[in-house]
Amino acid sequence: MSAESVVQAAALSALRGVGGLNGVYLGTPVKATPPYALLGELLSGDWSVKDRAGRELRLLVTVRDAGEAPTRIHSLSAAVGAAIEALPRDLDGWRLVSVALLRARIGGGAAGAWSGSLEYRMRVLAEE
């Protein structure tokens, strides 16, 4: 399996275990009740070494919520981040070498709508 599909499946599984979310989606859902998480596009580039294939992946997770204050979006974003950072290192045919938070952002849009975004860099190497 490709590094992209393996990492995406692991991230989906981890995010589905985050308490307080009403769902985890790969794209913008037609109908969803906040709070929920969106697993965004997965960007990848070559990160191979002399004797093994490797990928550097960029993973974006967005949490959407509705409420008077951003209190819940802060705690949900922290829980989502903890779940991504705790991904297992041994994946199907790949070894997750590093997970690094690149940027996090929390903001409001329309009245009562909150959004938290977390972007991670993940580096994986093919198992020998």
Side-chain angles (χ1 to χ4, degrees):
M1 293 175 69
S2 72
E4 296 81 6
S5 63
V6 168
V7 169
Q8 185 179 60
L12 274 173
S13 178
L15 293 175
R16 287 185 175 135
V18 173
L21 292 174
N22 288 326
V24 179
Y25 304 95
L26 282 174
T28 305
V30 176
K31 290 184 178 182
T33 302
Y36 59 88
L38 301 171
L39 191 56
E41 293 180 357
L42 190 62
L43 305 174
S44 71
D46 184 45
W47 195 68
S48 298
V49 294
K50 184 177 178 181
D51 61 346
R52 282 195 269 173
R55 297 286 181 277
E56 180 176 282
L57 308 163
R58 299 291 172 104
L59 176 74
L60 177 65
V61 181
T62 303
V63 181
R64 304 256 190 232
D65 193 18
E68 292 294 319
T71 308
R72 187 167 61 176
I73 197 79
H74 282 281
S75 63
L76 286 173
S77 293
V80 162
I84 294 297
E85 292 170 16
L87 285 175
R89 296 309 190 224
D90 291 316
L91 302 172
D92 187 20
W94 295 89
R95 173 86 178 152
L96 183 57
V97 177
S98 68
V99 176
L101 177 66
L102 297 179
R103 61 185 64 95
R105 178 179 174 171
I106 293 181
W114 298 98
S115 176
S117 297
L118 301 159
E119 183 180 351
Y120 281 91
R121 179 189 67 216
M122 301 173 155
R123 292 177 173 162
V124 296
L125 287 172
E127 291 183 342
E128 296 184 66

